[in-house]
Amino acid sequence: MRPLLLILSSLCLWPLPVAAEQRPNIIFLMCDDLGYGDVHCLNPSNGKIATPGIDRLAAQGMSFTDAHSGSSVCTPTRYGVMTGRYSWRTKLQSGVVEGFAPSLIAADRPTVASFLKSAGYHTAIIGKWHLNFEYHDPKTGKPYSAKDFNTPPVGARIPDGPVTRGFDYYHGFHHARDMEAVIENDTVIEHDEVVHMLPRLRRKAVEFIDSRKGKEQPFFLYLPLGSPHTPIVPAPEWKGKSGLGDYGDFVMQTDDAAVVVAEALERNGMTENTLIILTSDNGCSKAAGIDKLAQQGHRVSANMRGSKADIWDGGHRIPFIVRWPAQIAAGSTSDQLICLVDFFATAAEIVGRPVPAGSCEDSVSFLPALKGQPIVSTRHGVIHHSISGHFAYRQGPWKLALARGSGGWSSPNEKQMPAGAPKAQLYDMQHDIGETTNLFEAKPEIVNQLLDLLKADIERGRSTAGPDSANDFADIVLWKSESGKKGKKKK
């Protein structure tokens, strides 16, 4: 038995719940395809795009250097943010959703929005959803089909969108291919040129913050921007600003959204007790022109290998900057391992409530890290997932990737790997962040240990402590390159 003094000392490491009257406003600003190296303060040597807004948030708060998205592509990450659960536990085993289909989030599954709403928060989403919903004919109530429309028609009604998943207010769009269709709450209200979407979201975010002035009720604003994802369309006033082409200009315009959000908070006296998280849903896309940017001295993934869609860290290690002046030391950093699925459990600890039953199977609170303390976790490691469904498992310095190559878009991908190449990859991320030396065959004991943990986390339906849960999808395939199978949906 440990001495009483040691027990009491360890208890002191747990952050106390925030008092009800001091519950912070929460803004979760998620950029789309913004690479780790695209943020200048995270990549000062090889980052050539100016990001003064994000850099200022970092200087006033905490930067995480080992934060990861739930996947290396859009939809799965967004599912994890909303539910605290890895998306590969659903029917979505690879790729992304395309809209005109029922919501990927089951109607009875708690979301971080419904949870915060039940805790007394006003909840809003301004931006990109990309988790599926249907568009219905307002006269007949019948669903429209994607094959019949290039873009959802004005007046279309949405029966299973964000306002049915915990949000009081929604203004935005579904995903990039349907960006012309502007949605408010449960209705397509107009069509607009895609170049206007980022300015629209910027304006609406400021209007929302201004509208909360003088109100005692705290708010949760989920602000998932659609930039700098394709279509890469910087507004005319931003053209040429970066000197690196349209992508650099669009990143700078995206950064400006962080500037105006911070200004709105300051103008309304909300800065001190508003928690802002600024992050990205995955790494930078090849559509940005990664090779050309590198020739100009800008490395979108900093010193990491790969980019969007890949199982390598460039696909899923992301900017993650948190500012909360009332609680976080300015200019601080954390090298603790976290994932975007952890947002839900963190929000629960902040408001001092347990997570709802049937939620947060993979979510761990990182609130202690914001206070410079170790994260207390029952999760053994973090699971990564590529666009093609390839898995990786990270624990401490070790990363096991069940893929021969990138598992995504970068070369060499699975088909480009030479015959006889190891069927998986093992890297020591502490000493080899660029994933250059594959230790898979040299460290079989580490491989087996990580593989057993990954299997257990999949089979239990959860990676945290608690009662076993059920995946929505049976026969989740571990070795995608070996079998070529994608599994089958549970009946």
Side-chain angles (χ1 to χ4, degrees):
M1 181 178 292
R2 294 182 296 173
L4 179 60
L5 180 60
L6 180 58
I7 295 174
L8 293 175
S9 298
S10 66
L11 290 174
C12 290
L13 294 176
W14 286 83
L16 297 174
V18 178
E21 65 273 11
Q22 296 178 330
R23 289 176 301 169
N25 302 311
I26 301 172
I27 298 177
F28 194 93
L29 195 169
M30 187 161 67
C31 304
D32 199 342
D33 290 6
L34 183 74
Y36 185 96
D38 289 331
V39 175
H40 188 265
C41 67
L42 300 178
N43 186 26
S45 299
N46 296 300
K48 305 303 180 183
I49 302 173
T51 53
I54 302 175
D55 292 356
R56 184 166 182 258
L57 288 178
Q60 296 172 338
M62 175 177 284
S63 301
F64 283 76
T65 59
D66 204 358
H68 298 261
S69 52
S71 169
S72 56
V73 284
C74 300
T75 297
T77 289
R78 293 161 200 274
Y79 180 90
V81 169
M82 286 291 99
T83 65
R85 182 187 192 223
Y86 292 125
S87 183
W88 46 262
R89 297 195 188 280
T90 74
K91 63 183 179 181
L92 187 68
Q93 295 295 291
S94 61
V96 299
V97 300
E98 298 181 355
F100 287 90
S103 176
L104 186 62
I105 301 177
D108 60 350
R109 174 163 284 276
T111 67
V112 67
S114 64
F115 169 77
L116 288 172
K117 186 174 182 177
S118 72
Y121 277 70
H122 180 73
T123 59
I125 169 175
I126 297 173
K128 173 179 174 177
W129 183 238
H130 209 178
L131 286 166
N132 266 347
F133 45 61
E134 294 186 321
Y135 299 97
H136 284 192
D137 185 319
K139 294 181 180 179
T140 66
K142 294 182 178 180
Y144 291 122
S145 171
K147 66 181 181 181
D148 298 325
F149 294 94
N150 290 326
T151 193
V154 172
R157 302 299 296 273
I158 298 166
D160 56 349
V163 293
T164 70
R165 298 301 188 268
F167 288 98
D168 294 307
Y169 175 71
Y170 171 39
H171 189 98
F173 64 104
H174 185 264
H175 76 296
R177 293 181 186 175
D178 289 337
M179 193 181 291
E180 296 91 343
V182 180
I183 301 162
E184 188 154 275
N185 294 328
D186 65 350
T187 305
V188 178
I189 59 171
E190 63 176 299
H191 289 164
D192 198 2
E193 296 179 50
V194 296
V195 70
H196 297 153
M197 183 53 75
L198 179 53
R200 171 189 290 274
L201 301 181
R202 176 187 186 275
R203 182 178 70 253
K204 286 291 182 181
V206 171
E207 289 175 358
F208 175 82
I209 294 169
D210 286 344
S211 75
R212 304 308 300 170
K213 183 178 182 179
K215 292 181 169 60
E216 293 185 6
Q217 183 186 25
F219 67 80
F220 165 50
L221 172 59
Y222 176 38
L223 185 56
L225 302 178
S227 60
H229 189 289
T230 54
I232 299 171
V233 284
E237 63 269 28
W238 288 95
K239 283 270 193 175
K241 289 278 188 180
S242 69
L244 295 175
D246 283 353
Y247 180 74
D249 300 341
F250 209 29
V251 169
M252 289 186 68
Q253 186 179 355
T254 302
D255 175 79
D256 182 62
V259 172
V260 298
V261 165
E263 289 175 346
L265 292 172
E266 187 171 355
R267 180 173 63 250
N268 290 294
M270 300 175 181
T271 298
E272 189 69 12
N273 200 35
T274 296
L275 183 155
I276 299 180
I277 295 173
L278 186 141
T279 189
S280 179
D281 62 345
N282 45 249
C284 176
S285 170
K286 292 175 71 67
I290 293 174
D291 291 341
K292 183 177 180 181
L293 288 166
Q295 292 170 7
Q296 296 172 289
H298 179 74
R299 299 179 65 86
V300 298
S301 300
N303 54 347
M304 290 169 287
R305 188 179 186 183
S307 55
K308 178 180 178 177
D310 298 340
I311 202 62
W312 295 323
D313 264 35
H316 49 79
R317 191 181 300 214
I318 48 169
F320 194 88
I321 293 166
V322 187
R323 189 189 76 174
W324 186 7
Q327 300 288 333
I328 298 174
S332 54
T333 61
S334 175
D335 62 0
Q336 297 191 69
L337 176 66
I338 65 170
C339 183
L340 291 190
V341 294
D342 296 336
F343 175 55
F344 197 152
T346 305
E349 187 167 9
I350 286 172
V351 301
R353 290 191 173 194
V355 298
S359 73
C360 293
E361 291 93 334
D362 302 301
S363 191
V364 171
S365 173
F366 55 76
L367 182 59
L370 303 185
K371 299 170 181 287
Q373 299 166 358
I375 295 171
V376 179
S377 177
T378 61
R379 187 176 62 197
H380 293 291
V382 167
I383 299 174
H384 308 311
H385 209 229
S386 76
I387 189 171
S388 53
H390 285 82
F391 283 100
Y393 198 86
R394 172 74 186 280
Q395 185 188 52
W398 296 108
K399 174 183 174 182
L400 173 66
L402 306 188
R404 293 186 173 90
S406 70
W409 295 339
S410 294
S411 296
N413 60 31
E414 300 309 286
K415 293 181 179 179
Q416 295 168 335
M417 289 299 294
K423 69 174 185 177
Q425 302 164 71
L426 178 71
Y427 297 108
D428 179 350
M429 301 304 293
Q430 183 175 349
H431 299 104
D432 183 21
I433 194 172
E435 298 176 82
T436 61
T437 304
N438 184 2
L439 301 173
F440 176 74
E441 295 177 333
K443 299 282 187 180
E445 70 285 357
I446 301 295
V447 168
N448 291 332
Q449 176 185 335
L450 298 182
L451 187 58
D452 286 346
L453 291 172
L454 173 58
K455 289 177 179 178
D457 285 351
I458 291 174
E459 292 168 1
R460 290 183 55 240
R462 66 183 310 130
S463 56
T464 58
D468 288 0
S469 186
N471 298 316
D472 305 338
F473 201 82
D475 302 327
I476 293 173
V477 177
L478 275 180
W479 298 92
K480 295 296 193 302
S481 298
E482 295 288 297
S483 67
K485 295 179 181 178
K486 295 184 178 181
K488 58 185 179 181
K489 186 178 179 183
K490 270 191 173 183
K491 295 181 180 180

mmCIF file of all heavy atoms in Angstrom, residues 276-308:
data_model
loop_
_atom_site.group_PDB
_atom_site.id
_atom_site.type_symbol
_atom_site.label_atom_id
_atom_site.label_comp_id
_atom_site.label_asym_id
_atom_site.label_seq_id
_atom_site.Cartn_x
_atom_site.Cartn_y
_atom_site.Cartn_z
ATOM 1 N N ILE A 276 -10.488 28.489 -26.344
ATOM 2 C CA ILE A 276 -10.428 28.321 -27.796
ATOM 3 C C ILE A 276 -9.488 27.168 -28.109
ATOM 4 O O ILE A 276 -8.350 27.138 -27.632
ATOM 5 C CB ILE A 276 -9.904 29.581 -28.512
ATOM 6 C CG1 ILE A 276 -10.790 30.791 -28.263
ATOM 7 C CG2 ILE A 276 -9.813 29.327 -30.020
ATOM 8 C CD1 ILE A 276 -10.281 32.049 -28.965
ATOM 9 N N ILE A 277 -9.975 26.239 -28.903
ATOM 10 C CA ILE A 277 -9.123 25.197 -29.462
ATOM 11 C C ILE A 277 -9.038 25.439 -30.959
ATOM 12 O O ILE A 277 -10.066 25.532 -31.636
ATOM 13 C CB ILE A 277 -9.683 23.793 -29.184
ATOM 14 C CG1 ILE A 277 -9.674 23.492 -27.683
ATOM 15 C CG2 ILE A 277 -8.893 22.730 -29.955
ATOM 16 C CD1 ILE A 277 -10.360 22.195 -27.316
ATOM 17 N N LEU A 278 -7.831 25.563 -31.472
ATOM 18 C CA LEU A 278 -7.632 25.687 -32.917
ATOM 19 C C LEU A 278 -6.860 24.473 -33.397
ATOM 20 O O LEU A 278 -5.789 24.147 -32.869
ATOM 21 C CB LEU A 278 -6.871 26.962 -33.263
ATOM 22 C CG LEU A 278 -6.768 27.203 -34.775
ATOM 23 C CD1 LEU A 278 -6.926 28.664 -35.119
ATOM 24 C CD2 LEU A 278 -5.475 26.638 -35.364
ATOM 25 N N THR A 279 -7.412 23.804 -34.396
ATOM 26 C CA THR A 279 -6.812 22.558 -34.853
ATOM 27 C C THR A 279 -7.142 22.328 -36.325
ATOM 28 O O THR A 279 -7.625 23.231 -37.019
ATOM 29 C CB THR A 279 -7.293 21.390 -33.968
ATOM 30 O OG1 THR A 279 -6.564 20.214 -34.281
ATOM 31 C CG2 THR A 279 -8.784 21.134 -34.120
ATOM 32 N N SER A 280 -6.865 21.122 -36.810
ATOM 33 C CA SER A 280 -7.164 20.738 -38.186
ATOM 34 C C SER A 280 -7.681 19.312 -38.189
ATOM 35 O O SER A 280 -7.411 18.538 -37.268
ATOM 36 C CB SER A 280 -5.902 20.843 -39.042
ATOM 37 O OG SER A 280 -6.141 20.460 -40.389
ATOM 38 N N ASP A 281 -8.419 18.957 -39.232
ATOM 39 C CA ASP A 281 -9.012 17.619 -39.274
ATOM 40 C C ASP A 281 -8.053 16.555 -39.782
ATOM 41 O O ASP A 281 -8.297 15.367 -39.615
ATOM 42 C CB ASP A 281 -10.296 17.620 -40.115
ATOM 43 C CG ASP A 281 -10.062 18.004 -41.564
ATOM 44 O OD1 ASP A 281 -8.987 18.552 -41.888
ATOM 45 O OD2 ASP A 281 -10.977 17.786 -42.391
ATOM 46 N N ASN A 282 -6.966 16.968 -40.413
ATOM 47 C CA ASN A 282 -5.937 16.042 -40.914
ATOM 48 C C ASN A 282 -4.821 16.874 -41.511
ATOM 49 O O ASN A 282 -4.829 18.104 -41.420
ATOM 50 C CB ASN A 282 -6.509 15.059 -41.948
ATOM 51 C CG ASN A 282 -7.401 15.694 -42.996
ATOM 52 O OD1 ASN A 282 -8.614 15.456 -43.013
ATOM 53 N ND2 ASN A 282 -6.839 16.514 -43.854
ATOM 54 N N GLY A 283 -3.860 16.200 -42.144
ATOM 55 C CA GLY A 283 -2.747 16.917 -42.734
ATOM 56 C C GLY A 283 -3.102 17.617 -44.032
ATOM 57 O O GLY A 283 -4.231 17.547 -44.520
ATOM 58 N N CYS A 284 -2.119 18.302 -44.583
ATOM 59 C CA CYS A 284 -2.298 19.050 -45.827
ATOM 60 C C CYS A 284 -2.512 18.101 -47.002
ATOM 61 O O CYS A 284 -1.895 17.038 -47.089
ATOM 62 C CB CYS A 284 -1.073 19.924 -46.067
ATOM 63 S SG CYS A 284 -1.086 20.833 -47.627
ATOM 64 N N SER A 285 -3.359 18.523 -47.938
ATOM 65 C CA SER A 285 -3.678 17.711 -49.107
ATOM 66 C C SER A 285 -2.667 17.913 -50.228
ATOM 67 O O SER A 285 -2.112 19.007 -50.418
ATOM 68 C CB SER A 285 -5.069 18.080 -49.625
ATOM 69 O OG SER A 285 -5.325 17.474 -50.878
ATOM 70 N N LYS A 286 -2.457 16.860 -51.016
ATOM 71 C CA LYS A 286 -1.592 16.969 -52.190
ATOM 72 C C LYS A 286 -2.114 18.006 -53.180
ATOM 73 O O LYS A 286 -1.345 18.545 -53.987
ATOM 74 C CB LYS A 286 -1.475 15.601 -52.870
ATOM 75 C CG LYS A 286 -0.717 14.568 -52.051
ATOM 76 C CD LYS A 286 -0.739 13.201 -52.704
ATOM 77 C CE LYS A 286 0.099 13.133 -53.949
ATOM 78 N NZ LYS A 286 1.545 13.275 -53.658
ATOM 79 N N ALA A 287 -3.413 18.310 -53.104
ATOM 80 C CA ALA A 287 -3.994 19.318 -53.989
ATOM 81 C C ALA A 287 -3.395 20.700 -53.760
ATOM 82 O O ALA A 287 -3.527 21.592 -54.606
ATOM 83 C CB ALA A 287 -5.508 19.375 -53.792
ATOM 84 N N ALA A 288 -2.738 20.886 -52.631
ATOM 85 C CA ALA A 288 -2.112 22.181 -52.331
ATOM 86 C C ALA A 288 -0.874 22.417 -53.193
ATOM 87 O O ALA A 288 -0.382 23.551 -53.259
ATOM 88 C CB ALA A 288 -1.737 22.251 -50.854
ATOM 89 N N GLY A 289 -0.368 21.363 -53.829
ATOM 90 C CA GLY A 289 0.876 21.484 -54.575
ATOM 91 C C GLY A 289 2.073 21.362 -53.651
ATOM 92 O O GLY A 289 2.945 22.236 -53.602
ATOM 93 N N ILE A 290 2.126 20.249 -52.907
ATOM 94 C CA ILE A 290 3.118 20.074 -51.849
ATOM 95 C C ILE A 290 4.546 20.152 -52.379
ATOM 96 O O ILE A 290 5.416 20.795 -51.773
ATOM 97 C CB ILE A 290 2.877 18.741 -51.116
ATOM 98 C CG1 ILE A 290 1.554 18.813 -50.342
ATOM 99 C CG2 ILE A 290 4.018 18.417 -50.164
ATOM 100 C CD1 ILE A 290 1.134 17.504 -49.697
ATOM 101 N N ASP A 291 4.816 19.527 -53.514
ATOM 102 C CA ASP A 291 6.178 19.525 -54.047
ATOM 103 C C ASP A 291 6.622 20.932 -54.435
ATOM 104 O O ASP A 291 7.766 21.330 -54.174
ATOM 105 C CB ASP A 291 6.272 18.586 -55.247
ATOM 106 C CG ASP A 291 6.128 17.122 -54.865
ATOM 107 O OD1 ASP A 291 6.310 16.810 -53.666
ATOM 108 O OD2 ASP A 291 5.827 16.297 -55.744
ATOM 109 N N LYS A 292 5.739 21.682 -55.056
ATOM 110 C CA LYS A 292 6.088 23.048 -55.458
ATOM 111 C C LYS A 292 6.322 23.922 -54.238
ATOM 112 O O LYS A 292 7.248 24.734 -54.200
ATOM 113 C CB LYS A 292 4.988 23.639 -56.336
ATOM 114 C CG LYS A 292 5.313 25.041 -56.842
ATOM 115 C CD LYS A 292 4.237 25.575 -57.757
ATOM 116 C CE LYS A 292 4.584 26.979 -58.243
ATOM 117 N NZ LYS A 292 3.526 27.532 -59.137
ATOM 118 N N LEU A 293 5.476 23.752 -53.216
ATOM 119 C CA LEU A 293 5.669 24.513 -51.981
ATOM 120 C C LEU A 293 7.019 24.184 -51.347
ATOM 121 O O LEU A 293 7.715 25.069 -50.838
ATOM 122 C CB LEU A 293 4.529 24.220 -51.005
ATOM 123 C CG LEU A 293 3.159 24.810 -51.362
ATOM 124 C CD1 LEU A 293 2.068 24.170 -50.516
ATOM 125 C CD2 LEU A 293 3.157 26.328 -51.185
ATOM 126 N N ALA A 294 7.399 22.905 -51.390
ATOM 127 C CA ALA A 294 8.688 22.499 -50.825
ATOM 128 C C ALA A 294 9.846 23.150 -51.577
ATOM 129 O O ALA A 294 10.855 23.554 -50.978
ATOM 130 C CB ALA A 294 8.812 20.981 -50.852
ATOM 131 N N GLN A 295 9.705 23.277 -52.896
ATOM 132 C CA GLN A 295 10.736 23.935 -53.690
ATOM 133 C C GLN A 295 10.880 25.410 -53.310
ATOM 134 O O GLN A 295 11.958 26.001 -53.468
ATOM 135 C CB GLN A 295 10.409 23.807 -55.174
ATOM 136 C CG GLN A 295 10.509 22.388 -55.709
ATOM 137 C CD GLN A 295 9.948 22.259 -57.117
ATOM 138 O OE1 GLN A 295 9.597 23.251 -57.766
ATOM 139 N NE2 GLN A 295 9.860 21.021 -57.600
ATOM 140 N N GLN A 296 9.798 25.968 -52.787
ATOM 141 C CA GLN A 296 9.810 27.368 -52.348
ATOM 142 C C GLN A 296 10.210 27.497 -50.875
ATOM 143 O O GLN A 296 10.158 28.592 -50.323
ATOM 144 C CB GLN A 296 8.428 27.992 -52.575
ATOM 145 C CG GLN A 296 8.027 28.064 -54.047
ATOM 146 C CD GLN A 296 6.574 28.499 -54.224
ATOM 147 O OE1 GLN A 296 5.648 27.748 -53.925
ATOM 148 N NE2 GLN A 296 6.393 29.712 -54.715
ATOM 149 N N GLY A 297 10.567 26.360 -50.256
ATOM 150 C CA GLY A 297 11.049 26.383 -48.885
ATOM 151 C C GLY A 297 10.002 26.122 -47.830
ATOM 152 O O GLY A 297 10.305 26.186 -46.630
ATOM 153 N N HIS A 298 8.758 25.792 -48.256
ATOM 154 C CA HIS A 298 7.680 25.562 -47.290
ATOM 155 C C HIS A 298 7.348 24.077 -47.231
ATOM 156 O O HIS A 298 6.962 23.475 -48.232
ATOM 157 C CB HIS A 298 6.422 26.349 -47.688
ATOM 158 C CG HIS A 298 5.273 26.135 -46.746
ATOM 159 N ND1 HIS A 298 5.230 26.698 -45.489
ATOM 160 C CD2 HIS A 298 4.126 25.405 -46.869
ATOM 161 C CE1 HIS A 298 4.111 26.343 -44.883
ATOM 162 N NE2 HIS A 298 3.427 25.548 -45.703
ATOM 163 N N ARG A 299 7.483 23.488 -46.046
ATOM 164 C CA ARG A 299 7.203 22.060 -45.855
ATOM 165 C C ARG A 299 5.911 21.927 -45.054
ATOM 166 O O ARG A 299 5.868 22.241 -43.856
ATOM 167 C CB ARG A 299 8.362 21.381 -45.151
ATOM 168 C CG ARG A 299 9.671 21.465 -45.946
ATOM 169 C CD ARG A 299 10.818 20.793 -45.219
ATOM 170 N NE ARG A 299 10.580 19.358 -45.092
ATOM 171 C CZ ARG A 299 10.904 18.452 -46.015
ATOM 172 N NH1 ARG A 299 11.468 18.842 -47.148
ATOM 173 N NH2 ARG A 299 10.674 17.182 -45.822
ATOM 174 N N VAL A 300 4.868 21.447 -45.711
ATOM 175 C CA VAL A 300 3.523 21.456 -45.121
ATOM 176 C C VAL A 300 3.395 20.547 -43.900
ATOM 177 O O VAL A 300 2.548 20.773 -43.035
ATOM 178 C CB VAL A 300 2.446 21.074 -46.163
ATOM 179 C CG1 VAL A 300 2.415 22.072 -47.301
ATOM 180 C CG2 VAL A 300 2.681 19.646 -46.689
ATOM 181 N N SER A 301 4.232 19.511 -43.832
ATOM 182 C CA SER A 301 4.196 18.584 -42.696
ATOM 183 C C SER A 301 5.392 18.762 -41.779
ATOM 184 O O SER A 301 5.695 17.878 -40.968
ATOM 185 C CB SER A 301 4.127 17.129 -43.189
ATOM 186 O OG SER A 301 2.970 16.905 -43.969
ATOM 187 N N ALA A 302 6.081 19.919 -41.909
ATOM 188 C CA ALA A 302 7.288 20.184 -41.123
ATOM 189 C C ALA A 302 8.292 19.053 -41.358
ATOM 190 O O ALA A 302 8.606 18.741 -42.506
ATOM 191 C CB ALA A 302 6.948 20.382 -39.655
ATOM 192 N N ASN A 303 8.768 18.411 -40.298
ATOM 193 C CA ASN A 303 9.789 17.363 -40.456
ATOM 194 C C ASN A 303 9.199 15.965 -40.433
ATOM 195 O O ASN A 303 9.900 14.984 -40.188
ATOM 196 C CB ASN A 303 10.841 17.490 -39.359
ATOM 197 C CG ASN A 303 10.227 17.499 -37.959
ATOM 198 O OD1 ASN A 303 9.022 17.653 -37.804
ATOM 199 N ND2 ASN A 303 11.055 17.347 -36.944
ATOM 200 N N MET A 304 7.884 15.867 -40.704
ATOM 201 C CA MET A 304 7.234 14.559 -40.690
ATOM 202 C C MET A 304 7.025 14.026 -42.105
ATOM 203 O O MET A 304 6.995 14.782 -43.072
ATOM 204 C CB MET A 304 5.899 14.649 -39.947
ATOM 205 C CG MET A 304 6.074 14.854 -38.454
ATOM 206 S SD MET A 304 4.539 15.262 -37.619
ATOM 207 C CE MET A 304 4.275 16.947 -38.147
ATOM 208 N N ARG A 305 6.823 12.732 -42.199
ATOM 209 C CA ARG A 305 6.631 12.071 -43.484
ATOM 210 C C ARG A 305 5.151 12.023 -43.841
ATOM 211 O O ARG A 305 4.291 11.827 -42.981
ATOM 212 C CB ARG A 305 7.189 10.644 -43.410
ATOM 213 C CG ARG A 305 7.241 9.904 -44.731
ATOM 214 C CD ARG A 305 7.832 8.513 -44.526
ATOM 215 N NE ARG A 305 8.032 7.817 -45.797
ATOM 216 C CZ ARG A 305 8.474 6.567 -45.902
ATOM 217 N NH1 ARG A 305 8.778 5.876 -44.809
ATOM 218 N NH2 ARG A 305 8.634 6.006 -47.089
ATOM 219 N N GLY A 306 4.842 12.217 -45.123
ATOM 220 C CA GLY A 306 3.476 12.049 -45.583
ATOM 221 C C GLY A 306 2.628 13.292 -45.460
ATOM 222 O O GLY A 306 3.073 14.364 -45.034
ATOM 223 N N SER A 307 1.368 13.121 -45.818
ATOM 224 C CA SER A 307 0.401 14.216 -45.810
ATOM 225 C C SER A 307 -1.003 13.615 -45.741
ATOM 226 O O SER A 307 -1.156 12.420 -45.458
ATOM 227 C CB SER A 307 0.576 15.086 -47.062
ATOM 228 O OG SER A 307 0.501 14.297 -48.243
ATOM 229 N N LYS A 308 -2.007 14.417 -46.007
ATOM 230 C CA LYS A 308 -3.398 13.960 -45.908
ATOM 231 C C LYS A 308 -3.585 12.577 -46.536
ATOM 232 O O LYS A 308 -3.024 12.269 -47.575
ATOM 233 C CB LYS A 308 -4.324 14.956 -46.602
ATOM 234 C CG LYS A 308 -5.784 14.546 -46.608
ATOM 235 C CD LYS A 308 -6.671 15.563 -47.298
ATOM 236 C CE LYS A 308 -8.129 15.088 -47.317
ATOM 237 N NZ LYS A 308 -9.028 16.101 -47.924
#
